[in-house]
Amino acid sequence: MIKAIIFDFDGVILDSTDIKTNAFKNIFKKKYSKQLPQILEHHHNHLGISRSNKLKIYFEEIIGIKLSNNQLIKYTNIFSSYCINRILRCKFIPGAKKFILNNYINYDFFISSGTPTKELRYICNKRKIDKYFKEIYGSPQKKTTHIKRIMKKHKLKPNEIIFIGDGYSDYQAANFTSLFFVGINFKKNLNIEDRILIKDLSKLNNVLENRKYE
């Protein structure tokens, strides 16, 4: 029996994936326009990975510039400044808010995201959804770390948890920890064949009721 649901955040609860994409464009489009297509391709193929890890990859592996810690902090702050007010105003993914409000009593809800924890909790508080989640986890810890912590603290078994995500890293984290996985394909980011994909959370009740996640 499913007791808990772990949600990724961007692209699963809030329609904020394009905001993150545009934040990377904002950083790289002027000086590094030639490398931008490769940067954006990596970003789209690795949703759910922290911005700091991505920025290091883009500067050091794609552009060829070694960043100091201060430079990395500077660029992550630019990224955050671009995103935060826009995310506070963006729409929910269809069905997300309704599902959360109607089901938070039936399941233990958690968030596991690549967004920095402090920023993520601030956004959830401002969007008035933090009270519906037992715990909210973000970077710098990895999603597998979040999952293991949730299972240990709340005495949950893998077959009692569903992970809801829209990125391949979400799928990998669920696989690694033996959780059921349901993919949200609102932006058509996922191309996996061995797990169920749904457009948005308006379809999730049907998946749960009919145990389609198994």
Side-chain angles (χ1 to χ4, degrees):
M1 184 177 73
I2 298 302
K3 296 181 179 179
I5 300 176
I6 303 174
F7 299 84
D8 179 41
F9 192 67
D10 299 299
V12 173
I13 294 175
L14 290 185
D15 187 9
S16 47
T17 52
D18 288 345
I19 295 171
K20 302 291 179 73
T21 299
N22 289 332
F24 284 118
K25 287 181 182 178
N26 180 58
I27 290 172
F28 293 105
K29 65 184 178 182
K30 289 184 180 179
K31 284 190 175 181
Y32 309 106
S33 59
K34 289 183 179 179
Q35 292 90 349
L36 188 57
Q38 188 180 352
I39 288 167
L40 295 180
E41 182 182 8
H42 180 280
H43 166 61
H44 288 302
N45 290 334
H46 297 83
L47 298 176
I49 296 175
S50 73
R51 65 198 61 173
S52 59
N53 285 345
K54 285 185 175 181
L55 286 165
K56 283 190 74 173
I57 290 169
Y58 301 157
F59 275 105
E60 297 181 5
E61 297 182 20
I62 295 178
I63 297 169
I65 296 174
K66 179 76 173 177
L67 291 181
S68 68
N69 286 336
N70 285 339
Q71 287 173 316
L72 181 58
I73 290 168
K74 170 192 166 184
Y75 283 112
T76 54
N77 286 341
I78 291 170
F79 188 100
S80 295
S81 296
Y82 181 93
C83 290
I84 194 152
N85 287 329
R86 291 169 174 84
I87 292 174
L88 291 178
R89 299 193 305 267
C90 75
K91 294 181 179 179
F92 282 89
I93 293 291
K97 193 170 186 180
K98 183 177 180 181
F99 180 85
I100 291 166
L101 292 175
N102 289 345
N103 290 281
Y104 76 97
I105 294 175
N106 302 323
Y107 306 95
D108 288 343
F109 284 169
F110 303 88
I111 292 176
S112 172
S113 172
T115 300
T117 298
K118 185 177 179 180
E119 181 178 315
L120 181 63
R121 290 174 178 171
Y122 174 79
I123 291 167
C124 289
N125 176 263
K126 289 296 183 181
R127 298 301 300 251
K128 299 181 180 179
I129 58 171
D130 55 327
K131 63 184 177 182
Y132 302 114
F133 296 92
K134 294 287 185 182
E135 290 169 333
I136 296 169
Y137 293 102
S139 63
Q141 288 78 29
K142 295 181 179 179
K143 294 187 178 187
T144 51
T145 302
H146 301 162
I147 293 167
K148 290 175 183 177
R149 189 173 295 172
I150 288 166
M151 286 196 292
K152 183 177 181 180
K153 183 174 179 180
H154 298 273
K155 297 180 173 59
L156 291 164
K157 299 175 183 176
N159 64 359
E160 295 173 329
I161 306 170
I162 295 178
F163 195 109
I164 313 288
D166 72 326
Y168 194 70
S169 64
D170 302 320
Y171 168 74
Q172 288 178 310
N175 257 353
F176 186 81
T177 51
S178 301
L179 305 190
F180 294 116
F181 177 80
V182 174
I184 300 297
N185 222 12
F186 187 65
K187 298 289 185 181
K188 299 182 179 178
N189 295 312
L190 278 175
N191 293 300
I192 55 174
E193 297 180 355
D194 65 333
R195 304 293 181 95
I196 188 167
L197 302 181
I198 55 178
K199 183 180 180 183
D200 54 54
L201 289 181
S202 66
K203 313 294 182 183
L204 188 54
N205 272 325
N206 179 259
V207 170
L208 293 168
E209 289 167 6
N210 294 286
R211 301 174 69 92
K212 292 181 181 179
Y213 51 84
E214 294 182 335

